[in-house]
Amino acid sequence: MENLPTILIAAAVALVFLAIVARGVYNRRHHKGGCGCGCDSCPNSGACHPKS
């Protein structure tokens, strides 16, 4: 039981990491990414919304 604090801290870090990844997956599936519609002022809008 000498390693209990290390195990608890590692578990907390793992939970935070998993929460961040899960939120990213949720946002991607619900189209809540970093680029929204009408982002003409975005420097990367040409890659997101190619003009035909």
Side-chain angles (χ1 to χ4, degrees):
M1 287 314 219
E2 295 174 10
N3 294 330
L4 187 61
T6 303
I7 293 171
L8 291 176
I9 291 172
V13 169
L15 284 174
V16 169
F17 176 75
L18 288 174
I20 292 170
V21 170
R23 185 65 176 173
V25 170
Y26 175 84
N27 285 342
R28 183 175 291 258
R29 287 189 179 171
H30 289 89
H31 304 291
K32 296 181 181 181
C35 183
C37 295
C39 60
D40 296 329
S41 63
C42 175
N44 202 18
S45 63
C48 295
H49 309 286
K51 296 181 178 163
S52 53

